Every structure is written in structure tokens, then in C-alpha cells.
């Protein structure tokens, strides 16, 4: 049962957060005269030594250490004697573990925020430099209209920008102090929780002790955030996997982010992107599994909540790694603009053909049918739309004039998409400015 119950093998990564919380609590006990100043200082010195042992790799766990909290307190008592037993006065592992997890996650979220910004920055700077590259835009994986390569890159960067917004919005809900809630009913020694919050850098204090020890919504929210962010990474990865195939040839992954086949020497596999895509399911599984664990629990702390740590730790580790790998892939990606442009075909300007007639006064629903008939005529003759004659077009509508063949210009097509959000150069430059501003916010 001890081995089944033990969590030290994975929650030891919170050793620094546990030491920080204990140092702050020792100071709070001294303010309430539970500890003398001399005892407080001795206890803090001992806690710092325990922390140094963890940092240097010299901490020696013992068989009876159930978790990081008991391990640290046991070692503290070995260093300073029975005084170490005073540290737990008025404190429960229930409010202690909730505090440790929030402290630990706040540190990790700051690192993840930095990595996410790094990914967005690489995408924005690349898009700014590669505005001239035109490519087919797809819906249903069918060629639709010409767009700028930068516009596609920035579509993914925009998803990550909103992930960044959501992560920042989550921080205040993580940064709520549970310490001082006790086991469930509150602290009988009336420790100064406002002091504790300030000492530990929390934004606010858990106002209800029952909620404080039992709440894990902040973990669920982070797992949901991770699932959505990884979904965005996966969708970007899928685009790049498709575009890196020989059938498309729009991009080539760096050798650092791809592998060869064990049997087919001509192959270059996009393993980095496939792993990013695959890990998305894993992160979703962490979230779904923990929500199922949480949904049936009665109020306050239950041992089931020990199952919050492994999915959280795994999500943090894999999301952090995925963001860094994604940044590396995008930073080293080779783009082939000539292949992108070669994939553009005149039938992709069929909407521009309809728009031409709209500008001549014909209702769009009618122009849509006329354009469709032009496409059918070109297909029947096995020619492109720009190879049909003026007479051919005038046979479809008397609104067609000598300038009809000016429609068949891919650059002009993208430049006509000049409303906010469009793929014109001016609007791509606007997107770059918006995303740069978001990174500085």
C-alpha cells in the first residue's frame, strides 16, 4: 500500500515550490508568536539547506517519504531537530499541496509564455520577409483562390496569438493562495494570509477554505488550454506535412527536424511534425482523464486529487517541448516559391471572373453561374480560362469587354483582397504589425 500511495517519484519536481511555501509559512508563524525570531531563522536556514540538497542532487529520499512534503519536513527535522515539527502547526498537506502546485505551475506558465512568444515571433518575421510568395489557398483540400504564403503563416500565428491571450487570462486564476486554509476549515492560529500572498507573489487569496483545498479548476483550465494550443500546433503541422510531400513540394524540412527511412533511402520523413500531431491526442487524453476523475468527487480534499499531478506534469513537459520544436521547424524550413506559383491555375480566378461582372453591374448570383459556364467551356476545350477568346466570353454575357483578360493575373487577384483580414500585401503588413504589437503587450 505504501508504494501505491507514494507520489514522491513524480511530485519531487515541486521541491523548490514546497521550500518556498514553507519558508513563507515559517515567517507567518513567527508573526503570530508561534515561533520565536531565532526559531524562525533557524528553520529558514534549514529549509534553504534542504533546497540546496535538491538542487545539487544530494538529497537522499527515504523509503518512508510519502511525498515531497513529508520528505522535506523529514529532512528539515534531521537538520534542525524537533524544531522542524513546529513547521506543520496549523498547516495541512491539503493546503500545502494546493499551494505548491499553484506556485510550480505559475513558474512553468511563464516559461511556456516565453516559448509561445518565440514561436509567434519566428512566424511573424518569416511572413514579413516572404510576402512576395504566392500559392494556392485551399478549402476542402481543393484549390480555391490564390493567397500569399505569408497569409497562411499568419493564420496559424493568429491562432497562437489567441492562445497567448488565453494563457495570460488564466494566470490570475492560478495565482490564488490556498495556504492558510488548513485541512478544510481554516487556520486556527489566524496566520496573516495577506502577508503570505504578498510573500509568495499570489494575486489573490482563496476566500473559502473548503474551496481552497479542493479546487483543481486551475489544472483543468491549463489542460484545456494545452489541448487547444496543441490542436493549433497539430493543424499547422498537418499543413506542413502535406506541403512537404513530393506531390506539393512547397516546403522542405531541415534535416535536423526530419529522418530517413530504415529501408527506403529516397525518403525524408517529417517526424517532428508527426510527433507534434501525435502528442496532441496525448494532451487531450490528460485533460479528459482528469476531468473524469474530478467530476465524481465530494467537496474539499480527497485522495483522488493525487491524480492531478501526472497529467499536469506531462502536459507541461510536452507542451513546452512542442512549442520549442515548432519554433525550430519554422525557423529552419526551406520554402520553394517557384513550386507554389507553379501550382496556381487559372481556374482559381473563376471568382475574380464573377467579380469582374459584378463591377459591370450584374448581380453576383448571376455572375456566379456565368463564371461556372466559362469554367465548363474551358474544361470542354481542355484550355485554361485565359485562353478563351473575347468572343467566347461575350457568348456567355454581353457585359464582357476588351479588359476581360486583365482578370487573369494572380498578383492582381491577391491585391484585390485589400479589406482588413485579406491577403493583399498591405493587409499582410497590417497583420504583421498587429502580431508584433501583441508580442510587446
Amino acid at each position: 500500500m505504501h508504494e501505491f500511495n507514494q507520489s514522491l517519484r513524480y511530485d519531487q519536481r515541486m521541491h523548490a515550490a514546497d521550500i518556498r511555501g514553507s519558508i513563507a509559512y515559517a515567517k507567518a508563524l513567527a508573526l503570530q508568536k508561534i515561533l520565536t525570531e531565532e526559531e524562525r531563522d533557524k528553520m529558514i536556514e534549514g529549509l534553504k539547506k534542504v533546497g540546496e540538497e535538491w538542487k545539487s542532487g544530494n538529497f537522499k529520499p527515504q523509503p518512508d517519504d510519502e511525498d515531497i512534503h513529508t520528505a522535506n519536513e523529514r529532512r528539515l527535522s534531521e537538520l534542525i531537530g524537533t524544531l522542524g515539527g513546529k513547521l506543520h502547526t496549523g498547516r495541512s498537506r491539503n493546503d500545502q499541496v494546493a499551494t505548491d502546485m499553484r506556485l510550480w505551475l505559475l513558474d512553468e506558465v511563464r516559461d511556456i509564455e516565453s516559448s509561445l512568444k518565440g514561436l509567434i515571433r519566428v512566424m511573424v518575421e518569416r511572413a514579413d520577409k516572404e510576402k512576395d510568395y504566392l500559392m494556392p489557398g485551399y478549402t476542402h483540400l481543393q484549390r480555391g483562390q490564390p493567397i500569399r504564403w505569408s497569409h497562411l503563416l499568419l493564420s496559424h500565428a493568429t491562432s497562437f496569438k489567441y492562445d497567448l491571450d488565453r494563457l495570460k487570462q488564466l494566470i490570475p486564476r492560478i495565482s490564488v493562495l490556498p495556504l492558510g486554509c488548513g485541512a478544510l476549515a481554516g487556520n486556527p492560529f489566524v496566520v496573516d494570509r495577506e502577508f503570505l500572498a504578498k510573500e509568495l507573489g499570489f494575486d489573490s487569496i482563496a476566500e473559502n477554505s473548503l474551496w481552497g483545498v479542493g479546487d483543481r479548476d486551475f489544472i483543468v483550465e491549463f489542460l484545456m488550454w494545452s489541448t487547444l494550443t496543441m490542436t493549433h500546433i497539430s493543424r499547422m503541422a498537418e499543413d506542413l506535412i502535406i506541403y512537404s510531400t513530393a506531390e506539393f513540394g512547397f516546403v522542405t524540412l531541415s534535416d535536423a527536424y526530419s529522418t530517413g527511412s530504415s529501408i527506403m533511402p529516397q525518403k525524408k520523413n517529417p517526424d517532428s511534425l508527426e510527433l507534434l500531431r501525435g502528442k496532441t491526442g496525448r494532451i487531450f487524453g490528460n485533460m479528459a482523464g482528469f476531468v473524469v476523475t474530478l467530476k465524481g468527487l465530494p467537496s474539499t480534499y480527497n485522495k483522488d486529487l493525487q491524480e492531478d499531478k501526472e497529467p499536469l506534469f506531462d502536459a507541461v513537459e510536452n507542451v513546452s517541448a512542442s512549442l520549442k520544436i515548432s519554433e525550430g521547424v519554422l525557423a529552419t524550413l526551406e520554402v520553394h516559391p517557384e513550386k507554389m506559383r507553379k501550382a496556381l491555375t487559372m481556374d482559381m480566378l473563376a471568382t475574380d471572373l464573377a467579380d469582374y461582372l459584378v463591377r459591370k453591374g450584374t448581380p453576383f448570383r448571376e455572375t456566379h453561374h456565368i463564371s461556372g459556364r466559362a469554367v465548363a467551356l474551358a474544361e470542354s476545350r481542355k484550355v485554361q480560362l485565359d485562353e478563351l477568346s473575347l468572343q467566347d466570353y461575350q457568348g456567355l454575357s454581353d457585359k464582357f469587354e476588351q479588359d476581360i483578360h486583365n482578370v487573369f493575373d494572380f498578383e492582381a487577384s491577391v491585391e484585390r483582397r485589400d479589406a482588413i483580414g485579406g491577403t493583399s500585401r498591405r493587409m499582410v503588413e497590417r497583420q504583421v504589425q498587429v502580431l508584433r504589437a501583441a508580442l510587446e503587450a
Side-chain angles (χ1 to χ4, degrees):
M1 179 60 191
H2 174 70
E3 185 177 347
F4 187 67
N5 191 47
Q6 191 181 54
S7 61
L8 182 62
R9 66 185 182 278
Y10 51 83
D11 69 16
Q12 62 182 267
R13 70 178 65 199
M14 299 193 302
H15 62 82
D18 191 69
I19 295 294
R20 282 173 60 197
S22 291
I23 288 174
Y25 195 69
K27 292 178 181 179
L29 289 176
L31 289 175
Q32 297 308 108
K33 310 302 182 185
I34 304 298
L35 296 178
T36 67
E37 290 186 6
E38 183 180 351
E39 288 175 325
R40 175 201 64 196
D41 293 345
K42 186 176 180 181
M43 187 174 286
I44 290 172
E45 183 182 354
L47 286 165
K48 287 180 177 178
K49 286 181 180 176
V50 176
E52 288 166 4
E53 288 182 4
W54 277 111
K55 193 173 182 179
S56 64
N58 293 323
F59 188 95
K60 293 181 173 56
Q62 299 300 313
D64 288 338
D65 291 340
E66 182 181 325
D67 51 37
I68 187 59
H69 325 296
T70 54
N72 281 347
E73 187 175 333
R74 184 265 309 161
R75 182 56 181 148
L76 176 66
S77 294
E78 289 175 354
L79 292 171
I80 67 173
T82 56
L83 173 60
K86 285 191 173 185
L87 179 61
H88 209 54
T89 304
R91 184 173 71 165
S92 165
R93 276 190 293 175
N94 296 355
D95 61 341
Q96 186 177 0
V97 66
T99 302
D100 287 2
M101 294 199 73
R102 288 177 185 270
L103 283 173
W104 181 84
L105 184 55
L106 283 169
D107 287 342
E108 296 298 323
V109 161
R110 292 183 187 102
D111 288 342
I112 288 171
E113 180 182 345
S114 177
S115 296
L116 182 53
K117 284 182 175 180
L119 171 58
I120 296 170
R121 188 171 290 109
V122 164
M123 299 176 79
V124 169
E125 296 311 311
R126 177 149 214 163
D128 191 34
K129 292 174 183 174
E130 297 173 345
K131 292 191 291 284
D132 292 334
Y133 302 170
L134 301 186
M135 65 177 290
Y138 295 84
T139 63
H140 309 276
L141 273 181
Q142 305 296 315
R143 284 176 296 188
Q145 294 176 318
I147 60 171
R148 296 190 185 277
W149 155 248
S150 292
H151 197 51
L152 176 66
L153 266 184
L154 293 172
S155 73
H156 291 296
T158 299
S159 292
F160 294 132
K161 181 263 182 190
Y162 285 110
D163 291 329
L164 179 61
D165 290 347
R166 280 184 286 267
L167 185 62
K168 290 178 178 178
Q169 292 160 6
L170 174 57
I171 289 172
R173 293 190 291 279
I174 301 172
S175 190
V176 182
L177 175 74
L179 191 58
C181 287
L184 76 159
N187 189 291
F189 298 97
V190 199
V191 292
D192 187 342
R193 298 189 68 214
E194 290 180 341
F195 165 82
L196 284 169
K198 185 176 181 181
E199 189 75 9
L200 291 170
F202 281 97
D203 291 346
S204 62
I205 300 169
E207 296 288 343
N208 182 292
S209 61
L210 302 177
W211 178 89
V213 299
D215 175 68
R216 294 298 185 273
D217 290 358
F218 68 101
I219 295 177
V220 173
E221 278 199 81
F222 179 79
L223 292 174
M224 287 178 172
W225 178 88
S226 299
T227 298
L228 186 55
T229 300
M230 287 299 297
T231 298
H232 294 149
I233 289 176
S234 181
R235 294 192 71 186
M236 179 186 71
E238 177 67 5
D239 275 355
L240 294 177
I241 289 168
I242 291 170
Y243 295 151
S244 69
T245 61
E247 285 74 12
F248 283 80
F250 294 172
V251 299
T252 300
L253 268 68
S254 163
D255 288 347
Y257 294 98
S258 53
T259 64
S261 166
S262 62
I263 192 172
M264 296 169 283
Q266 83 282 6
K267 287 190 68 191
K268 186 174 183 178
N269 298 326
D271 283 11
S272 57
L273 297 171
E274 291 172 351
L275 284 169
L276 291 171
R277 191 175 58 184
K279 284 182 181 294
T280 302
R282 172 178 178 160
I283 300 304
F284 175 84
N286 287 333
M287 182 272 292
F290 182 59
V291 171
V292 170
T293 297
L294 197 61
K295 76 171 185 66
L297 299 187
S299 297
T300 76
Y301 185 82
N302 300 270
K303 192 66 172 182
D304 314 52
L305 292 178
Q306 184 165 297
E307 294 301 308
D308 60 0
K309 294 171 190 62
E310 288 182 287
L312 176 64
F313 296 159
D314 185 74
V316 166
E317 185 176 314
N318 281 283
V319 169
S320 182
S322 295
L323 289 168
K324 291 179 174 67
I325 292 296
S326 298
E327 180 182 347
V329 168
L330 266 296
T332 59
L333 191 71
E334 184 181 358
V335 181
H336 305 295
E338 70 288 349
K339 290 186 178 180
M340 291 178 172
R341 186 173 279 270
K342 190 176 180 181
L344 295 169
T345 53
M346 287 298 165
D347 59 330
M348 296 175 65
L349 298 176
T351 304
D352 294 76
L353 188 63
D355 293 343
Y356 169 91
L357 291 174
V358 167
R359 292 185 175 93
K360 301 291 185 179
T362 307
F364 177 78
R365 285 301 177 196
E366 186 178 338
T367 72
H368 182 273
H369 293 302
I370 296 169
S371 179
R373 293 205 301 272
V375 170
L377 179 61
E379 287 177 349
S380 70
R381 295 184 182 177
K382 294 182 170 49
V383 298
Q384 293 290 315
L385 283 173
D386 62 332
E387 295 176 301
L388 294 177
S389 68
L390 174 61
Q391 290 72 28
D392 292 329
Y393 279 109
Q394 288 180 333
L396 299 171
S397 170
D398 59 7
K399 298 289 186 178
F400 286 114
E401 299 178 9
Q402 290 285 349
D403 60 350
I404 179 56
H405 286 89
N406 294 339
V407 168
F408 303 113
D409 182 322
F410 297 120
E411 185 70 33
S413 175
V414 297
E415 284 304 289
R416 280 190 285 267
R417 271 68 185 176
D418 199 38
I420 293 172
T423 192
S424 70
R425 173 183 289 272
R426 191 170 71 95
M427 287 303 109
V428 165
E429 289 171 348
R430 176 190 168 100
Q431 292 173 59
V432 167
Q433 291 170 2
V434 167
L435 288 167
R436 281 177 176 160
L439 290 173
E440 298 303 320

